[in-house]
Amino acid sequence: MGHGGGGALSAELIEQVFAPAYGNALLAGLTDSAVLHLGGARLALSTDSYVVRPLFFPGGCLGDLAVNGTVNDLAMSGARPAYLSAAFVLEEGVALSVVERVARAMGTAAETAGVTIATGDTKVVEAGHGDGVYVTTAGVGLVPERVDIRPQRARPGDVVIVSGPIGLHGVAVLSVREGLEFGVEIASDTAPLADLVATMLDVTPEIHVLRDPTRGGLAASLNEIARASGTGVRLSERAVPVPDAVANACGFLGLDPLYVANEGRLVAFVPPADAEAVLAAMRAHPQGAGAVVVGECVAEHPGMVVVATGLGGTRVVDLPLGEQLPRIC
């Protein structure tokens, strides 16, 4: 299970098994979506599988997650998502009413995100060989000229911005799965981010890096960026937006919010000259209303993420080994 958690074991699986098998320059970048040149156009291409359990949770379900997740992977390359495919794997015995709820949620999410589900496939496996419904979506979108967003472009001096409160999705899924109550309902943040990214790019096309911190949370995304760019990242613990409900739940469960998954947040590395304008534009958008500066990219400790704690000390935030909360997307 750890190999599917978005941490060090996932990286090991990709680097030692998949990358050598498929080895090519496009794959070597290990970005959320590949940027391709085809027929004179710059296209972003991405694919992702969704195996969340339970299928329905506060704030969302498997259906909208399968749309928003792939839309956001495309957006993290600066692309404007256009078309998706959807492949269903159904377990024998799952109620058709459940499948219909998932499909309708996907349709609504696609309309909200401004994309079309243009093709798909369905397979059925015997009872006991699945978990109700699995969905795989792939997507394509157009990348505007002058936009070059990838983790290798992080530079010392870049301002690190998070688009809103973190940890909501992972805690929302866990609370339903385990039947936990924290005194207040915690809803997933699942949402499409392409329009927010377009708003940011309208300010400047010189945004260096975008990532949506899903599996492995903010910690995993920042470690991946630091390692890919050969730079360091310094965070301010007090600046990281952790809702009280998430902090309390994580304290109760022994979890670190930095490692908890999100499905409607992004982290951006922005040149310092553009940071104030980009932050203002984000805060004026519904999906970025809670945007804050959480740190900076530095030349020191390359490949590492360090947090300045509220007590005046520092601690290293390493890449997680696996996933604190499996099956959350």
Side-chain angles (χ1 to χ4, degrees):
M1 290 301 294
H3 284 88
L9 290 177
S10 289
E12 177 185 89
L13 182 65
I14 293 168
E15 292 168 4
Q16 297 185 12
V17 177
F18 296 127
Y22 311 144
N24 60 74
L26 285 171
L27 188 62
L30 297 179
T31 51
D32 286 338
S33 57
V35 177
L36 320 171
H37 293 80
L38 188 64
R42 293 179 73 209
L43 298 177
L45 171 68
S46 186
T47 187
D48 208 341
S49 296
Y50 300 88
V51 296
V52 64
R53 180 172 58 86
L55 299 178
F56 305 94
F57 45 84
C61 72
L62 172 68
D64 46 49
L65 199 64
V67 171
N68 294 337
T70 297
V71 163
N72 293 346
D73 282 347
L74 294 170
M76 295 308 106
S77 292
R80 298 179 184 272
Y83 297 100
L84 302 182
S85 67
F88 280 72
V89 177
L90 309 177
E91 184 183 14
E92 177 188 14
V94 66
L96 288 180
S97 60
V98 170
V99 180
E100 183 180 15
R101 284 182 65 189
V102 171
R104 288 188 178 276
M106 290 181 68
T108 299
E111 183 177 359
T112 300
V115 296
T116 300
I117 300 176
T119 188
D121 183 49
T122 305
K123 295 292 188 297
V124 177
V125 297
E126 298 88 345
H129 291 267
D131 195 9
V133 183
Y134 298 151
V135 177
T136 296
T137 50
V140 294
L142 286 171
V143 181
E145 291 298 323
R146 295 180 57 204
V147 170
D148 182 16
I149 297 174
R150 47 195 170 88
Q152 293 80 5
R153 292 199 70 213
R155 298 288 184 271
D158 281 354
V159 176
V160 180
I161 301 173
V162 171
S163 65
I166 66 168
L168 292 164
H169 176 73
V171 173
V173 172
L174 183 67
S175 66
V176 177
R177 182 188 301 170
E178 304 299 337
L180 302 174
E181 296 184 5
F182 302 110
V184 60
E185 182 178 81
I186 301 174
S188 171
D189 59 357
T190 178
L193 298 174
D195 192 63
L196 173 62
V197 170
T199 298
M200 296 165 66
L201 290 173
D202 283 342
V203 175
T204 174
E206 292 302 321
I207 294 171
H208 289 161
V209 188
L210 292 172
R211 271 293 171 94
D212 57 334
T214 53
R215 294 178 304 170
L218 184 61
S221 292
L222 293 178
N223 270 279
E224 290 166 358
I225 294 166
R227 295 182 183 192
S229 61
T231 62
V233 176
R234 182 164 56 228
L235 295 181
S236 168
E237 186 174 56
R238 288 182 173 175
V240 178
V242 181
D244 288 343
V246 170
N248 292 338
C250 287
F252 175 75
L253 297 168
L255 303 175
D256 186 337
L258 290 175
Y259 293 93
V260 177
N262 312 271
E263 286 292 345
R265 299 289 181 255
L266 63 78
V267 57
F269 282 55
V270 182
D274 299 314
E276 186 174 341
V278 169
L279 183 62
M282 293 175 71
R283 288 174 171 171
H285 191 283
Q287 297 302 336
V292 292
V293 174
V294 296
E296 62 181 332
C297 185
V298 297
E300 296 81 18
H301 50 80
M304 295 176 60
V305 179
V306 171
V307 172
T309 69
L311 298 176
T314 59
R315 65 183 176 97
V316 174
V317 178
D318 205 354
L319 188 68
L321 184 64
E323 173 59 80
Q324 296 183 107
L325 309 174
R327 300 285 301 278
I328 44 74
C329 65

